[in-house]
Amino acid sequence: MSFVPADPPSRRPLGRARSLAPRAGAGAVLLALAIGTAGCSVKGADNANLILGKQTFVAKCGSCHALARADTKGTVGPNLDAAFHASLAEGLERSTVRGVVEGQIRLPNPEGAMPKDLVTGAKLKDIAAYVAQVVDVPGKDAGLLASAVEAPGAGKPAVETAGKLAIAASPTGQLAYVTNQATATPGSVIVEMPNVSGVPHNIAIESGAHGATAGGAVLGASQFTTKGTASVTVKLTPGTYTFFCQAPGHRAAGMYGTLTVKP
Ligand code: HEC
C-alpha cells in the first residue's frame, strides 16, 4: 500500500502526519515494522545509504531535532520520535514517513524556523531513508550504523599550553565539544573555540562542576560563531569549572565539559 500525500508537507501543522495514516490491518503494520527495523542493513530502499544518512542527519538536522537512534537532542524543532509516534502506532507506513521527511526538507513551513533545502539530491534521500527506518524504533543502531557517528565529547582532553586552551565545537554538528574534559594551570587563560560545524555555538566558563544544568557564577563567555573561532579570556584559580555553550538547549543536550585547574 503506498500513500502519496496530496498536499505539500509545508501546509501541514505539526504532527499532521497523523492524519495521513492509512487504515492498515495488523498484518500491514507488522510488515511495515519488519521492513523498518530490518537488522543492520546499511542500504535502505532505492539503495539509499543509511550510514551517510545518519551522518548527514546529525550534521544538518540534529542541532534542532531530537532523534533517539541518532543520539541527537536539539530542541528548536519537534522531537521526531514523538512527532511520528502516534501515526506509526496507527499504521502509518515507513515509506510514507520517508516521503513526509523528504517533503519537509524540500518545503518546510515558510513561517517556521526550519531552513529550506538544507540538503538536496542523494543526501536528501539518504537522510529521509535513515529517519524513516529508525524513527520511534526502540533500542540502539547496530552494526556499521552504530559506529557511523562518533560519541559526542569522547575526544582527547584539551590541555592549556602557554595561557591558551583550545576546545573545538564538534565538527559533526553534534551539540557537543570534541572533548568534555580540559585542564589548565592558574592565571589568565585564553579559551578558544574553533567551530566549523555551521551550527551557532559559543563557550562560557562557570565555576564548579554542574554538568548539564546551570550552577555557579559565569566567569566569562565568548561571542557566538557559526564558522570561525570564538574566544574568551578568564582568570582561573585552582579548582573545578564547567565549560558550556549558551545557545538555548545546547548545554542540556550535552554541550558541556569539566575544566580542572591545578597549580
Ligand atoms: C534550524 C532548526 C532546524 C533544522 C536545522 C532542521 N529542522 Fe526540521 N523543523 C524545525 C522546526 C522549527 C519545525 C517545526 C515547524 C516547521 O514545520 O517548520 C521542523 C519540522 C520538521 C519535521 C516535521 C515534524 C512534524 O511534527 O510533522 C520534520 C520531519 C523535520 N523537521 C525534519 C528535519 C530534517 C530531516 C532536518 C535536516 C535535514 C531538519 N528537520 C532540520 C527546525 C529545524
Side-chain angles (χ1 to χ4, degrees):
M1 177 166 17
S2 84
F3 184 90
V4 180
D7 54 342
S10 61
R11 305 293 164 259
R12 277 184 239 129
L14 290 190
R16 164 72 202 287
R18 181 191 179 85
S19 58
L20 291 174
R23 295 286 147 223
V29 177
L30 285 179
L31 179 66
L33 284 176
I35 293 167
T37 57
C40 51
S41 87
V42 294
K43 290 284 186 193
D46 309 338
N47 278 337
N49 185 322
L50 298 177
I51 292 180
L52 279 177
K54 181 174 188 176
Q55 290 166 342
T56 319
F57 178 87
V58 169
K60 299 286 182 184
C61 321
S63 64
C64 288
H65 290 288
L67 180 66
R69 286 282 190 132
D71 200 17
T72 63
K73 303 191 176 89
T75 55
V76 178
N79 175 314
L80 294 181
D81 297 303
F84 286 98
H85 179 77
S87 324
L88 286 165
E90 284 179 5
L92 182 74
E93 297 211 19
R94 289 193 177 260
S95 56
T96 307
V97 173
R98 191 172 164 181
V100 171
V101 174
E102 285 189 11
Q104 172 73 25
I105 297 172
R106 289 208 178 93
L107 284 173
N109 178 351
E111 280 121 58
M114 181 161 157
K116 192 170 156 9
D117 289 332
L118 278 167
V119 286
T120 53
K123 282 187 173 170
L124 188 157
K125 299 243 174 260
D126 293 344
I127 288 187
Y130 174 70
V131 173
Q133 170 155 317
V134 304
V135 70
D136 196 40
V137 178
K140 288 195 180 303
D141 280 352
L144 291 173
L145 272 181
S147 52
V149 179
E150 73 181 273
K156 272 197 300 180
V159 179
E160 171 254 329
T161 39
K164 272 199 180 179
L165 176 64
I167 304 173
S170 171
T172 62
Q174 289 169 318
L175 299 183
Y177 299 102
V178 291
T179 177
N180 51 26
Q181 296 295 330
T183 56
T185 49
S188 182
V189 173
I190 303 170
V191 183
E192 287 188 336
M193 184 207 61
N195 179 14
V196 298
S197 70
V199 180
H201 296 303
N202 84 338
I203 190 161
I205 311 290
E206 182 186 83
S207 57
H210 303 290
T213 44
V218 175
L219 277 67
S222 76
Q223 303 289 337
F224 278 83
T225 176
T226 307
K227 273 199 180 354
T229 298
S231 68
V232 56
T233 304
V234 284
K235 277 229 159 65
L236 301 172
T237 54
T240 309
Y241 301 81
T242 305
F243 58 91
F244 65 100
C245 177
Q246 291 176 309
H250 288 198
R251 181 177 186 168
M255 193 154 187
Y256 65 87
T258 304
L259 166 61
T260 309
V261 178
K262 283 191 184 147

